[in-house]
């Protein structure tokens, strides 16, 4: 289901991306004003995270994201999350045991709770790499927390 949602979001955003990004010789450039515009899109419902896909291939997915409320625990069976924090602060909990979650057909786990994980504070400029199979959760965003994500197929 999540893969379907990501694919739908990409299809919806492709015309806008084509209008704002320049691609030549396989190089894609998204100007700063367009990055800002993507990060300023209001959430579908108050507090929800907003993701704006940039590129989706079989081996990686890139996106800009922002959140103003706690996320839910995730565990990706086949994707490593590589993230660079752009603005604000957030608390990351990773590792431990994930329970009470649901798992979709693609091996993506969502919801439930993490017990026994490690908690760190992330700030603008920080780099985080969460390997496939490791539970993780972002909570307590300070204001409008913004970040860049590359999901690498493991």
């Amino acid at each position: 289901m999540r893969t379907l949602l990501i694919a739908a979001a990409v299809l919806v955003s492709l015309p806008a991306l084509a209008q704002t990004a320049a691609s030549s010789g396989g190089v894609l450039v998204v100007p700063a004003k367009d990055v800002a515009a993507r990060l300023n899109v209001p959430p579908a419902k108050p507090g929800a995270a907003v993701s704006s896909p940039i590129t989706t291939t079989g081996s990686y997915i890139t996106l800009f994201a922002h959140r103003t409320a706690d996320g839910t625990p995730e565990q990706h069976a086949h994707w490593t999350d590589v993230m660079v924090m752009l603005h604000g602060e957030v608390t990351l909990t990773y590792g431990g045991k994930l329970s009470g979650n649901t798992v979709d057909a693609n091996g993506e786990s969502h919801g439930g709770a993490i017990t026994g994980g490690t908690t760190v504070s992330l700030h603008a400029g920080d780099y985080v790499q969460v390997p496939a199979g490791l539970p993780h959760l972002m909570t307590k965003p300070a204001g409008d927390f913004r970040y860049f994500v590359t999901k690498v197929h493991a």
Side-chain angles (χ1 to χ4, degrees), residues 6 58 84 94 97:
I6 290 172
V84 176
Y94 63 91
K97 180 171 175 51

Side-chain angles (χ1 to χ4, degrees), residues 32-101:
K33 68 179 178 61
D34 297 323
V35 172
R38 287 165 171 262
L39 289 170
N40 287 327
V41 171
K45 60 182 183 178
V50 175
S51 295
S52 178
I54 305 163
T55 304
T56 300
T57 73
S59 57
Y60 68 92
I61 299 167
T62 58
L63 53 102
F64 298 113
H66 68 98
R67 66 174 57 248
T68 58
D70 291 352
T72 59
E74 301 179 354
Q75 184 174 349
H76 313 296
H78 305 290
W79 295 93
T80 294
D81 282 347
V82 178
M83 300 175 277
V84 176
M85 310 306 125
L86 301 174
H87 176 80
E89 299 176 10
V90 73
T91 298
L92 172 70
T93 301
Y94 63 91
K97 180 171 175 51
L98 181 59
S99 60
N101 55 304

